[in-house]
Amino acid sequence: ALFMVIAKTLIKNHAQNKELPSQIFTNVNNQLCENNEVGMFVTGWLGIMDIFTGQMEYVNAGHNYPIVIRKDGSIEWIKSRPGFVLAGMENIRYRQNTLQLDEGDTIYLYTDGVTEALDVTQELFGDERLEKTLSMKEVKDMRPEALLHHIDKALKSFSKGAEQADD
């Protein structure tokens, strides 16, 4: 948890310096690699959006692919090639990508704790179930808090009381 707090703080500090997402992850990665003898790492996804145009510059460091829920309710996985995890190896250069978000679109970011949630038979919730949950008709008009509640409800219904194994 402390390592994650350090990573978040470094990312925020670099972002406040108006660095590009690729520069932020490249610099943060090198800082996290310093004195990291125990080999800790974090995955991350960072996007910086121009609120006037909806254009988002983003970078992925080994994190789950985000999902855009378009205004019309269609689902789009943002499957750009992910970079290496943060703190995994020094001098990694992260690739920056561009995404266009339009008014009414929602971007859904999540950890592997969602897709790797298990039920009592050890079956994974998985990408397909997540996509089905996000594709439900009522989702396209949900506000963020309602969307999170909707996903949580789907996970609890799926797991049928199985103990949570991840974040």
Side-chain angles (χ1 to χ4, degrees):
L2 180 59
F3 194 74
M4 180 56 105
V5 169
I6 292 167
K8 271 182 69 173
T9 301
L10 289 171
I11 291 167
K12 182 178 177 182
N13 289 344
H14 283 276
Q16 288 175 332
N17 287 336
K18 299 188 181 354
E19 295 175 22
L20 295 171
S22 57
Q23 295 169 320
I24 293 169
F25 272 18
T26 296
N27 293 331
V28 168
N29 176 65
N30 285 335
Q31 287 179 290
L32 289 173
C33 283
E34 293 173 10
N35 302 312
N36 184 15
E37 289 81 22
V38 294
M40 296 188 80
F41 67 91
V42 295
T43 67
W45 193 96
L46 170 71
I48 298 177
M49 186 176 79
D50 181 323
I51 60 171
F52 298 107
T53 66
Q55 184 170 317
M56 179 180 286
E57 301 294 327
Y58 71 92
V59 64
N60 185 345
H63 202 67
N64 295 73
Y65 298 122
I67 300 169
V68 174
I69 306 164
R70 296 292 179 185
K71 182 176 162 178
D72 66 2
S74 63
I75 299 296
E76 180 182 339
W77 290 84
I78 308 305
K79 289 192 172 185
S80 59
R81 195 169 120 209
F84 202 60
V85 296
L86 294 169
M89 184 182 341
E90 288 181 272
N91 300 318
I92 297 290
R93 293 184 112 28
Y94 291 87
R95 180 190 355 252
Q96 190 165 293
N97 300 285
T98 303
L99 168 66
Q100 181 64 44
L101 293 173
D102 297 317
E103 187 175 334
D105 291 346
T106 300
I107 187 163
Y108 179 70
L109 298 158
Y110 58 98
T111 69
D112 60 2
V114 172
T115 51
E116 293 177 5
L118 298 169
D119 69 4
V120 292
T121 66
Q122 301 297 298
E123 183 179 349
L124 292 171
F125 187 75
D127 290 344
E128 188 177 308
R129 219 174 250 107
L130 177 59
E131 184 173 336
K132 183 178 177 185
T133 303
L134 292 173
S135 295
M136 297 173 100
K137 192 172 105 177
E138 64 271 19
V139 168
K140 72 181 183 87
D141 297 318
M142 285 184 180
R143 309 241 345 122
E145 187 176 324
L147 177 59
L148 294 177
H149 180 72
H150 176 72
I151 297 293
D152 187 53
K153 185 177 173 184
L155 286 167
K156 286 178 179 166
S157 174
F158 167 78
S159 65
K160 298 179 182 88
E163 192 172 322
Q164 186 176 357
D166 204 346
D167 48 6

